[in-house]
Structure formats: structure tokens, C-alpha cells
């Protein structure tokens, strides 16, 4: 500013960080959500060796995410740094309730859709339910906290666990029982017992 008639200056406060965050929070949350769902879909196509898996994983994750936003709104919470982080983390957590069910459905050797769903729930359903209950018990102490940060995390996780279990154990099995692929089954190696039995049968025939 030396030699100038009008000085150039600017003000600075720590609160400017918060103001800047709120100015871009909504756009960043939308971008992060889209990238998260795309990443989950790509991982589903990679880990589940059948292209139809993405049509069950991606829509369920989107539905769960939108409903979790509704839970946060009903609870009276607003978009801030804590809810932002909770929503971003929830994408990676809620996919567990969907991915395990889909993988087990594809691994099932049953004939009809209903039988494959029953087999999925009888084998994988209990594990998902126990995982949800253990997570629920882990976050219950946060409900008694006086900190708004812990309260926000508690609401986010409660909504995530309840919605995840409901969709993974109720909605997704119903959808799979109606439109689940029948011919898509993950490959299995033939058992040794069948090979031994076939060899013995051939030996008896030769004799």
C-alpha cells in the first residue's frame, strides 16, 4: 500500500471458516454422495461376479441414504460439519446390510427365488441382525451425552442401523423374491465325494 492513496486491506476471523463451509456444504454433500454411490456400485460389480448385482445394491443404498436424511430432518438436526461427516461415513456402513444379502443370494444353490431368499435369511440374516444389534448397543451410551456432537452421531447411527436392518432383512429379500435373478449363481467347485462316487461307479461297470 506504500505510495497509494487508497489502502487495500481485508479482515479475518476464525468464524470465516464456518461461513465458508456453510456456503459450499450442500453442493459438497451432493457431490460426495454421488461419488460414494458410484464407488459402492463399482465395488459391487467387482466383488459380485454378476452384472445384475449393481441393480440391487445401488438403488438400495440410494433409498437408505435418502431415508437417513429424512431421519436427521425429523430429529431436528441441520447440515453442519458433524452431520456432514456422519452422512459421508454412512454410505460405507449402510452398504454392508445390502451387500451381504445380495452375495448370499447369488451363492445359494436353491431352485426358486423364494427358496433362495429363505436360504439367504436362514444363513446370513442372523449375522446381519447380530451386527446391527451390536452396533446399536455400542452407540446407546451416546444418547445420554450432553454434547450436541455426540447426540448428532447417536441419531445418525440409530437411523442407519434401524433402516439398514429393515431394508437388508425385509425390503431387499422381498425384492429378490419377486425379481431376483435365477440363473445367476456364483461358481462352485465340484465336491470330492461326487468325483469318488463317479470313479467307483465306472470301476464297477468295467468289472
Amino acid at each position: 500500500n506504500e505510495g497509494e492513496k487508497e489502502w487495500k486491506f481485508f479482515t479475518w476471523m476464525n468464524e470465516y471458516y464456518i461461513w465458508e463451509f456453510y456456503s459450499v456444504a450442500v453442493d459438497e454433500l451432493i457431490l460426495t454422495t454421488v461419488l460414494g454411490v458410484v464407488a459402492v456400485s463399482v465395488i459391487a460389480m467387482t466383488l459380485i461376479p454378476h452384472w445384475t448385482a449393481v441393480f440391487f445394491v445401488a438403488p438400495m443404498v440410494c433409498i437408505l441414504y435418502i431415508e437417513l436424511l429424512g431421519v436427521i430432518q425429523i430429529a431436528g438436526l441441520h447440515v453442519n460439519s458433524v452431520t456432514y461427516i456422519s452422512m459421508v461415513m454412512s454410505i460405507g456402513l449402510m452398504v454392508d446390510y445390502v451387500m451381504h444379502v445380495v452375495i448370499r443370494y447369488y451363492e445359494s444353490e436353491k431352485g426358486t427365488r423364494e427358496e433362495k431368499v429363505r436360504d439367504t435369511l436362514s444363513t446370513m440374516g442372523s449375522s446381519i441382525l447380530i451386527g446391527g444389534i451390536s452396533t446399536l448397543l455400542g452407540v446407546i451410551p451416546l444418547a445420554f451425552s450432553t454434547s450436541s456432537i455426540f447426540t448428532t452421531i447417536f441419531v445418525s447411527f440409530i437411523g442407519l442401523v434401524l433402516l439398514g436392518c429393515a431394508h437388508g432383512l425385509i425390503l431387499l429379500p422381498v425384492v429378490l423374491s419377486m425379481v431376483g435373478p435365477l440363473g445367476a449363481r456364483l461358481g462352485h467347485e465340484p465336491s470330492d465325494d461326487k468325483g469318488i462316487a463317479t470313479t467307483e461307479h465306472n470301476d464297477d461297470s468295467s468289472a
Side-chain angles (χ1 to χ4, degrees):
N1 294 322
E2 186 177 356
E4 296 184 3
K5 294 182 180 180
E6 296 182 359
W7 284 18
K8 299 176 182 178
F9 66 94
F10 62 92
T11 59
W12 175 254
M13 295 178 62
N14 291 331
E15 286 77 6
Y16 288 179
Y17 283 117
I18 304 299
W19 296 350
E20 179 66 20
F21 168 79
Y22 282 118
S23 66
V24 299
V26 176
D27 295 335
E28 289 295 325
L29 184 59
I30 294 173
L31 177 61
T32 306
T33 302
V34 173
L35 293 177
V37 173
V38 171
V40 166
S41 302
V42 172
I43 293 174
M45 295 179 65
T46 304
L47 298 181
I48 304 178
H50 200 276
W51 60 273
T52 57
V54 70
F55 293 105
F56 298 100
V57 175
M60 282 293 168
V61 172
C62 293
I63 293 172
L64 275 169
Y65 193 85
I66 293 173
E67 291 179 353
L68 186 57
L69 286 174
V71 170
I72 291 178
Q73 181 68 26
I74 293 174
L77 303 177
H78 304 285
V79 177
N80 53 41
S81 57
V82 180
T83 55
Y84 181 90
I85 295 173
S86 299
M87 295 303 300
V88 172
M89 290 193 307
S90 67
I91 300 176
L93 297 174
M94 66 178 57
V95 72
D96 291 340
Y97 299 97
V98 178
M99 190 78 77
H100 292 306
V101 174
V102 175
I103 292 177
R104 186 65 189 94
Y105 178 87
Y106 280 90
E107 289 178 345
S108 178
E109 299 181 356
K110 302 298 182 179
T112 64
R113 295 188 180 95
E114 290 78 9
E115 291 175 346
K116 290 168 73 71
V117 169
R118 291 193 189 99
D119 182 45
T120 300
L121 292 178
S122 62
T123 54
M124 186 60 67
S126 59
S127 300
I128 295 175
L129 183 60
I130 292 174
I133 293 175
S134 62
T135 305
L136 194 65
L137 294 176
V139 299
I140 282 180
L142 297 179
F144 305 99
S145 175
T146 58
S147 173
S148 60
I149 296 177
F150 292 142
T151 303
T152 302
I153 296 175
F154 168 75
V155 172
S156 301
F157 271 81
I158 286 293
L160 171 64
V161 171
L162 295 180
L163 292 175
C165 289
H167 288 69
L169 299 178
I170 300 175
L171 179 60
L172 182 56
V174 172
V175 173
L176 290 173
S177 67
M178 297 173 63
V179 296
L182 286 175
R185 190 177 68 186
L186 302 186
H188 295 275
E189 295 294 332
S191 60
D192 295 337
D193 294 340
K194 292 183 180 179
I196 295 173
T198 303
T199 304
E200 292 178 352
H201 177 70
N202 292 334
D203 294 339
D204 293 340
S205 299
S206 299

